[in-house]
Amino acid sequence: MARRNDEVEALLQEYADLIAITGGDAFKARAYEKAARAIGGYPVDVSTLDADGLREIPNVGRSIAEKVAEYLRTGAMAVVEERRARIPAGVRELITIPTLGPKKALRLYEDLHISSVSELAAAIEADALAGLKGFGEKTQENIRHGIELLRRAGGRVPLSPALDTAERIVAELSAVTGCERCGYAGSLRRMRETVGDLDVLVSARRSAPFMDALCELPVTAEVIARGAKKTSVRTGNGLQLDLRVVPPESWGAALQYFTGSKAHNIRTRTIAVHQGLKLSEYGVFDTGSGESVASRTEEEVYARLGLPWIPPTLREDRGEIEAALGDGLPEVVTERDIRGDLHTHTDLTDGLASLEAMVEAAAERGHAYYAVTDHAPRLYMQRMTDEKILAQRERVRELDGTRRRMRLLHGTELNIGPDGEVDWPEEFLAGFDLCVASLHSHFDLDRAAMTRRLVRACEHPYVNIIGHPTTRLIGRRPGVDADWDEVFAACARTGTALEVNAQPDRLDLRDEDILRAREHGARFAVNTDAHSVPHLGQLRYGVATAQRGWLTKEDVINTWTLARLRRFLRKGGRA
């Protein structure tokens, strides 16, 4: 379920951007950015806190706490409204471009009167920015790419807020009298990385109470259309939601049909036709007699077609039908299979919680083992030193096994330099239990150089996992250009795992890349890259992405026993 922390974080971040746009104090903007991040990662729902409780959050002082309390009380923050009024709507539209900062957006508006994304795209094509200081060829190319990212995203919403909204609505509708079953379907149930709209199904004899309830929910901003079988609304975060109420005997068929994908459904309907059947959202029917032969559960529907139940995350017509017909459908990894998290951070570097708090939260999640992997010294803003990391190691050893017998691994997240080099010499790295290595800079290297860089990192004797391998940020930054087949082959050859990063704005590797890497024989680690206690709960997104890439427990190293994992981490000793 969504916490108020998320909307407060977004509002404070917007205020920081507005301060920057209007030429305000840079230190003030930074203070609000820090507060936004701290509130987003705070484990307690801020709506349950008073002003004193809010001030206990790191980086939240009296003034910010008062503004947050004002928003929680009234639904608005006066300083934000005032700043919004001072900035033309066109400038606010421009800063939605991922690669365009607020100051440059204001410059474009003031100097060239550009006030929309389409106007900016036209200006770049007409070379109208050529004489504007700070808008050289490389900057224009970055902006052009940002516009492409924005347009490609269209009206789609990232997976995490879409799921929060859907779960909130399902919980509300499930409490309505007469509800037998309620759930979400569509691309959200298939756990695609972005969602265009929401499909919610209710199994009940009467539809009117559910249509009434949906229209009256606080999350509903607009009623688009209302009917007896289907009602469409728009939520506060811009998503269209379609609610359908179906009779209990049609639940399984409706769930299968509205989950999709379209391509998967075409395949199942084709199978039905070849068997003299008709498949629809109402059930499986004998074409001759019109009699319903399956409909109540998805398992019944698939079984009547001669198929096992297919997990929703696989329903993309990427070979799942053939695999099911040939008894080769994978038993995909589940969240229950994950024994530990191998990439997390504390407040020693850029995390928000202490080592002790992160360890306690991981133990409460039932992990058998847990790795702490704070940043290495070449990520200079984190100010890591040998002394700091060794002191942390000593504390990790003290805590090992003290929280529900969970075993602790001491690691680090290394930086992969432009030539593939990493922080710290080999003799120092030998003291870590594991090393994650990631790209944090130099994203614009050419394909050949980037490939060499990543392969060299894979070949390092102490690099165990390549973290968020492509570095993409969904809708904001594309992945780096590399010969990924060569990189995947190098991972398989050297015993280096590829991370499936569970952060919802990363999901890196993406499912298509996982499928390719798996063909090369690579292993994987599904990690949260948690920077706060709530981030540990994002594991679900990484697992779903791993499922979409057809990964099984055997493919994922952090489903293994600790003894088997340690053998793998010795690099070269295959488990």
Side-chain angles (χ1 to χ4, degrees), residues 362-381:
E364 289 177 1
R365 293 187 63 83
H367 286 324
Y369 47 80
Y370 177 75
V372 179
T373 56
D374 275 311
H375 288 288
R378 285 185 187 164
L379 204 61
Y380 298 110
M381 71 285 289

Side-chain angles (χ1 to χ4, degrees), residues 150 255 286 316 381 480 564:
L150 186 66
L255 188 60
D286 183 275
E316 299 289 354
M381 71 285 289
V480 297
R564 184 181 180 190

Side-chain angles (χ1 to χ4, degrees), residues 452-464:
R452 286 194 301 272
R453 178 187 190 186
L454 286 162
V455 169
R456 184 180 175 194
C458 293
E459 292 173 341
H460 192 287
Y462 290 102
V463 169
N464 304 115

Side-chain angles (χ1 to χ4, degrees), residues 346-361:
T346 74
D347 59 4
L348 183 63
T349 55
D350 59 344
L352 296 173
S354 68
L355 170 64
E356 290 77 8
M358 294 296 286
V359 167
E360 184 64 37

Side-chain angles (χ1 to χ4, degrees), residues 149 152-153 156-163 186-196 239 313 316 318 470 472-479 500-514 541-542 544-546 548:
L149 287 173
R152 200 178 305 153
R156 299 185 71 82
V157 171
L159 176 60
S160 176
L163 187 57
S187 58
L188 181 61
R189 188 167 179 239
R190 304 198 312 276
M191 295 295 278
R192 289 193 59 183
E193 62 192 40
T194 59
V195 176
L239 274 168
T313 45
E316 299 289 354
R318 294 196 289 207
T470 76
R472 75 163 183 167
L473 294 173
I474 298 170
R476 289 187 286 150
R477 186 174 72 205
V500 180
N501 190 292
Q503 287 192 15
D505 63 343
R506 288 190 184 275
L507 301 182
D508 182 14
L509 288 173
R510 58 179 187 153
D511 52 2
E512 295 95 330
D513 294 327
I514 295 170
Y541 303 114
T545 303
R548 289 179 58 81

Side-chain angles (χ1 to χ4, degrees), residues 180-356:
E180 295 198 13
R181 300 189 72 171
C182 182
Y184 52 82
S187 58
L188 181 61
R189 188 167 179 239
R190 304 198 312 276
M191 295 295 278
R192 289 193 59 183
E193 62 192 40
T194 59
V195 176
D197 52 32
L198 298 177
D199 294 283
V200 172
L201 300 179
V202 166
S203 167
R205 292 298 175 189
R206 297 178 59 242
S207 66
F210 302 93
M211 304 310 184
D212 292 342
L214 176 64
C215 293
E216 294 167 5
L217 288 179
V219 73
T220 298
E222 174 191 2
V223 178
I224 300 171
R226 179 169 176 165
K229 294 183 178 180
K230 174 185 172 183
T231 291
S232 298
V233 302
R234 197 171 309 281
T235 67
N237 59 358
L239 274 168
Q240 178 173 324
L241 183 144
D242 298 329
L243 170 64
R244 293 173 176 86
V245 179
V246 300
E249 59 270 18
S250 295
W251 171 260
L255 188 60
Q256 192 278 332
Y257 181 87
F258 288 109
T259 294
S261 65
K262 182 178 179 180
H264 177 86
N265 283 357
I266 289 172
R267 297 296 304 280
T268 54
R269 288 201 299 272
T270 300
I271 291 173
V273 169
H274 289 162
Q275 296 180 15
L277 303 170
K278 178 184 176 183
L279 173 62
S280 73
E281 64 266 43
Y282 301 106
V284 183
F285 300 89
D286 183 275
T287 305
S289 67
E291 179 187 358
S292 174
V293 294
S295 64
R296 190 167 289 273
T297 69
E298 279 194 320
E299 288 80 2
E300 282 182 13
V301 170
Y302 279 107
R304 188 62 184 82
L305 300 177
L307 296 168
W309 180 80
I310 299 175
T313 45
L314 299 185
R315 301 181 197 176
E316 299 289 354
D317 192 24
R318 294 196 289 207
E320 73 276 9
I321 298 293
E322 290 80 1
L325 289 170
D327 199 29
L329 198 66
E331 187 174 339
V332 290
V333 64
T334 68
E335 194 169 350
R336 293 187 301 275
D337 295 325
I338 302 295
R339 293 173 181 256
D341 200 333
L342 301 180
H343 182 181
T344 67
H345 298 273
T346 74
D347 59 4
L348 183 63
T349 55
D350 59 344
L352 296 173
S354 68
L355 170 64
E356 290 77 8

Side-chain angles (χ1 to χ4, degrees), residues 483-498:
D483 182 339
W484 288 105
D485 287 302
E486 185 175 341
V487 175
F488 297 155
C491 285
R493 170 172 52 83
T494 61
T496 308
L498 288 155

